Amino acid sequence: MSEYHVPVMLAECIEGLNIDPDGTYVDVTFGGGGHSREIMKHLGPNGRLIAFDQDADAQRNLIDDERFVFVDQNFRYLKNFCRLHDAMPVNGILADLGVSSHQFDEAERGFSIRFDAELDMRMNQLSDLTAKQVVNTYAVADLHRIFGIYGEIQNAKSLAETIATARLNAPITTIADLKNMISNRIPKGKENKYLAQVFQALRIEVNQELEALKDFLMQSAEVLAPGGRLVVMSYHSLEDRLVKNFIAKGKFSGEVEKDLYGNDNKPLDAVSRGAITASAEEIVNNNRARSAKLRIAVKK
């Protein structure tokens, strides 16, 4: 497990869940199982843990315990599978968003700029859409949108046009192909940051990450019992903004709605004031913790 993925802010996540030994908990991003194993340590004989992961590789790390149930699905189907396993309402939900260390380190998955491989980037290896299809078939306007919104790239339009022109000569099939074809668009001295933004944009599109996150957050409020905790860790501003807004307003944009008596009409209250970040010591030992933001909320 430790080689697969080192869990970030493990102690803070467990504290945030405020675990009842007899409660039912959900880890919607099982991965290497680090957070799940720690949750299990705090559960008594009547406690339960439901774990979700759409990546088949995560099944190497399953926990052999009758209190543990694994669901090989995206967390956007949270409510359906909690209902299927007669697990509603639940006492706490944990989400560690983004790409696992394992996915970055497996060259053939195509997530990392460090390796050359086919442009893939699928978290669910059974899904149809790959990064190769995005760069070779999407219209310029769609590429512009993806790079501008998901990658927050300033020259998104010219980048999209460069890709559309390049693919007329030959398909863009590998990471090296993509790097070579967009090299003249990359600001000097900012190569790694720029490529990371390009890859983030493609990955979010391939996996529909922001739409899945919205679905999950809406359902989490329905699945949680009153007093239950939602603990979400994100790694870039697009995710964190959605989590922050949903906790604060019960929606993803606009102002919080009021009921007839003028009270905020939202399902959750923030437990932590602002986002919790990793300690300097943890960041030294686990570089992935550097960009992590942890938010904790309680169901009203």
Side-chain angles (χ1 to χ4, degrees), residues 87 146 152 189 207 226 237 256 276 285 295:
I146 291 164
E152 298 179 295
N207 297 289
S237 59
V256 64
I276 298 167
N285 294 323
R295 295 188 186 272

Side-chain angles (χ1 to χ4, degrees), residues 195-209:
L195 286 169
Q197 289 173 288
V198 171
F199 274 51
Q200 174 180 295
L202 291 172
R203 192 195 82 219
I204 289 172
E205 175 64 19
V206 166
N207 297 289
Q208 295 294 297
E209 290 177 37

Side-chain angles (χ1 to χ4, degrees), residues 28 52-54 70-77 81 124:
V28 298
F52 284 69
D53 207 299
Q54 62 183 331
F70 182 77
V71 178
D72 60 346
Q73 292 287 341
N74 187 294
F75 59 37
R76 72 191 310 170
Y77 304 115
F81 283 91
N124 179 352

